[in-house]
Amino acid sequence: MIALLVMISMITMSLNDSLHSKVSQHLANMSAERADLFDLWLNERLGDVTVLQRDPFLNKAILEYARSPENTTLENNLTERLQGLISTYSYHQISLLSPDGKTLLKVSTDVGDLLTENEQLIQRALLGASSLSSDLYVIEGRNGDLVFSLDLAAPIFGPDGTTPIAIMALHVDPASFLRKIISFNESIQNSEEILISRQQDDHVLIIVPTQDKNASLQLLRRPLSQASLPAIQSAAGHQGSITGIDYRGDPVFAYSHPLENSQWSILVKSPQNELRALQWENMLLALCVIAVILILAALLYTNYRSTRRRQGLEVALDDQREQAELLRKLIASERELRHSQEQLANSELRFRAVMDNSPVPVALLDRNGTVAYVNLAFEQTFGYQHSDVPTLTAWRSNAYPDASYGQSVEEEWTRRLRLLEQENAPFQPLEVHIHCKNGTVKTVLAEAAYLAGLENLYVSTFYDITSRKQIEAELGALTSEYAQVIRSLPVGIFRYRICTDGRERFDYVSDLWCEQLGVTRQSVMADPASALRAFSSEDVTRFWTFRRQKEHFHWQGQMVAPPAHRWLEVEATPQILENGDTVWSGIQSDISLRRQIEEALTFERQSLLNILWAPDVGTWEWDMHTGALRINERWATIAGYTRAELGEISIETWNRLVHPEDGSRSEKLLKQHFLGETNHYECEVRLRHKSGRWIWILDRGKVITRDKQGVPLTMAGTHLDITSRKQAEAILTQQREELSRSNNELEQFAYAVSHDLRQPLRMVHSYIQLLERRLQDILNDDTRGMMGYAREGAIRMETMLVSLLEYSRVGRSGEPMAIMDSTDALNEALRFLQPAIGEANARITISGDWPTVQASRDELTRLFQNLVGNALKYRLEDRVPELTLSVQPEEDHWLFRVQDNGIGIAPEQTSRLFKVFQRLQSKDKYEGSGVGLAICKKIVDHHNGQIGVESHGEGEGCTFFFTLPMVDSATASHL
């Protein structure tokens, strides 16, 4: 009997231990699950802050407001944006603080007014240059209700990305999330309860759920002296399984799990009476097992008695014991399996409930690229179900049709995952463009994090920022357009406020406004009066007088300080706001040029009056409606009359005096001017002098008034006596014709001489060769030398005649002038000289922007050929020839240069170079006739240019240069 009781006790203890372990594990899993949910929620809030921290438009708004906190427009815009964030992210309050801790702007709900800034958290975020969070805390509201809050802080950086311009402090409302994790009944047994607790001073705070799911949470405070409370034991540092009396006075079995980086702990408890009930069930189960064992023992004993074999009975008894043990294990295994299945099902339900209720698309993946799960938001956002993207490969082919883009995204994603895994560095969100199943493209911020305890799995979240990007693009375009409009305006813009309390300030000033005054935006924002310090005291007094009238005013003033003597014109209109402030909106124009023009017009008007009375120019004014002609005395004097002698002066007076042939030409030019075809009228005409002779007049004028239909009404002009100039031009024309005839005769003479003399020279050369052949046997060395000198002289004479013939042909027998590319002539000349270039191994460098010129193609080619050929010919034997051909513009002509490193020229000898048959080098050493450079000069003269040479002396090389006139667009189009 004692053995039987011992057996029952052992079985019961074993079952109770197993039950206690399972309950403890169950509560531990629930507390760990809630702690993980809290960590996930906190990371999501930090992720929200990171997105806001990197929002370029929000950063720009904060930067502008931080620079101009007194600007109400910037303040209102930023406040409206922060209020939108509060409603979107369930924040109690958002504050902007300067780096030194001063509050710049605060936007809050009714509850947010009770909150204060966590200065320690702000300093840590500023030093660490990253987003940080505080611990969860509770305060009492105005109506006695509880306010839960959690602080976040993130630095906002300037354009350089390193200098903080502000700190953004956010107070998050975690109440709705806390209500979910401690009142989530799907995974909680009816009698189980989840609490959150922490120690505060000499008592413990306990957050407990209420029966009403929509009601606020309940906060309990218990003194540390109640040591039996599980929350007190948890606050004392006891983590894991705890046994005690809960706040209701019921014995409970609990499990405590600390929240990461927090003083709060998750406490899951279960009543001990339920555990005792289960223990009684285990005892009954033990009795049943004993009963079964007794029955089996009786059977074994019967078998023993029937067989009368002790050994066989023992074997059978052992078998029955093994069967009983196997049965007990089977029963226990079945209970454990059923419990594990229920736990797994509950965990999966909780996971899916949390993930599918999340508005953020989430995907669960393993290291092998298998997609284990996608939530409902993922399917709704992108249109892909889990069956569409079972692997990363399938996801890439669907989401990134562009293979190169998909490859770059994969490489960058892998790199950031590696940093997350190996260096435990925060995963930087990756902005990607994803093609959805319906063909649309969404822009998202993708993030990843490895799951705690499941190192083979990581979760990817996708924050859809498509709408934000579109809004940012639209706002950016509008901002750019607005800024472009402001910059394109030729006037400065300002907005000046006079407050009811007497304070005055600028709400806005444009860049041009500051530039016109020579001030900075910061200086006038800090001291509005500094904008007028550049003006005289009289101008400032007039300005304040206008402003006090509170009516539209127009004011001009001249600056007396740098930038000195600038004239400014200001027009502004006041507006009385609802709060009583007066705001002046106006424009400011720089009228310095207008004032200069006005002064210049005044000066020119006076000068014109002086000209009207000048003795050398006659003036006239013609009223084309009446035909009246008003002239000055000089007009009449030029024609030999006085104004009185001409009588009533009209256009008929002009018609009577003008030469008939010139009158029709003048009338034609007048009509062209009336029709707007010419800017002014100008004609050289002959007038009948009082003495009867004809005088030449330069008649110039311009229409000065027209009617609405454009018909000329009045015209004014001048008469200038050009008779002497015309006589000089006639004499010059006659001399030019005589000179041209003389030049033609000289060219014909030179051509005839050079052509006719070549025939006798060829005969002399031929007969000398015949004499040498016939008398070669009887000639001695002296005679042969004489015959050689005679032959060489004839050859040289013929060469000089050919050169003279070529010289005479320049400008007479070449191609006509035409618009051409100068490089065409240069390239043709270099082709002709290619054998000589190759023989000398010369290096030729061509530089500059070679222009289009008006030239004769063959003459320009000959010019380049002669200059480059001379550079190749007159080279030093121990030096490789190096030539540089360049061109550059100079005023109204092009300057061409041919530079070499040859034998050079003595500076005193340069004046002889361009004369016919002038040589500076011995003909025995360098061949030539001495005409090549003379031909070059004649070609350049024919093209209205100049030629010259520069050299530092013998052995220093030289530079030949020549100029050609530039061709204007009018000449080019005419040609």
Side-chain angles (χ1 to χ4, degrees), residues 625-841:
H625 180 67
T626 62
L629 188 66
R630 290 184 290 274
I631 63 174
N632 68 345
E633 190 66 34
R634 178 58 182 164
W635 194 100
T637 303
I638 291 174
Y641 297 93
T642 64
R643 283 195 296 178
E645 290 175 341
L646 291 174
E648 184 179 354
I649 302 172
S650 67
I651 193 64
E652 294 301 326
T653 306
W654 160 264
N655 293 333
R656 186 176 69 250
L657 295 177
V658 73
H659 194 285
E661 296 179 358
D662 298 337
S664 58
R665 182 162 50 87
S666 172
E667 184 177 355
K668 181 179 179 181
L669 294 174
L670 280 171
K671 288 182 179 180
Q672 292 178 355
H673 178 55
F674 293 161
L675 294 174
E677 297 177 3
T678 59
N679 185 45
H680 65 277
Y681 157 76
E682 182 175 331
C683 184
E684 294 180 355
V685 298
R686 288 165 288 182
L687 285 184
R688 174 72 71 179
H689 194 268
K690 183 179 179 181
S691 63
R693 61 187 177 88
W694 293 102
I695 61 173
W696 280 97
I697 299 296
L698 175 60
D699 189 20
R700 303 179 78 247
K702 191 172 185 179
V703 173
I704 56 177
T705 60
R706 297 176 182 265
D707 62 13
K708 295 181 178 180
Q709 288 73 32
V711 178
L713 297 179
T714 57
M715 185 175 181
T718 60
H719 266 193
L720 180 63
D721 186 354
I722 58 171
T723 304
S724 300
R725 193 191 77 187
K726 280 292 187 178
Q727 292 172 351
E729 289 178 353
I731 295 172
L732 183 61
T733 299
Q734 182 180 0
Q735 291 176 347
R736 188 182 296 111
E737 291 176 354
E738 292 178 356
L739 180 60
S740 176
R741 183 173 59 254
S742 176
N743 286 338
N744 289 335
E745 290 175 355
L746 288 175
E747 288 178 359
Q748 291 295 332
F749 173 75
Y751 176 78
V753 169
S754 61
H755 183 272
D756 295 343
L757 289 178
R758 290 177 65 190
Q759 180 62 28
L761 283 175
R762 283 196 293 269
M763 292 180 62
V764 171
H765 181 259
S766 298
Y767 280 107
I768 289 175
Q769 287 181 326
L770 288 175
L771 288 173
E772 283 181 329
R773 284 197 296 269
R774 291 186 179 184
L775 302 176
Q776 61 180 347
D777 296 335
I778 61 176
L779 292 176
N780 55 28
D781 294 338
D782 292 339
T783 307
R784 287 192 181 90
M786 293 177 185
M787 297 290 284
Y789 293 146
R791 184 178 65 256
E792 291 176 359
I795 293 174
R796 188 162 58 254
M797 178 64 73
E798 183 176 7
T799 301
M800 294 176 66
L801 290 175
V802 171
S803 300
L804 182 61
L805 180 61
E806 291 179 354
Y807 180 80
S808 66
R809 288 176 176 174
V810 173
R812 185 167 55 86
S813 60
E815 295 183 14
M817 294 284 189
I819 299 299
M820 62 171 294
D821 191 339
S822 56
T823 55
D824 294 342
L826 175 63
N827 293 334
E828 187 173 359
L830 294 178
R831 282 196 300 271
F832 292 155
L833 295 170
Q834 192 58 43
I837 295 172
E839 179 183 355
N841 292 323

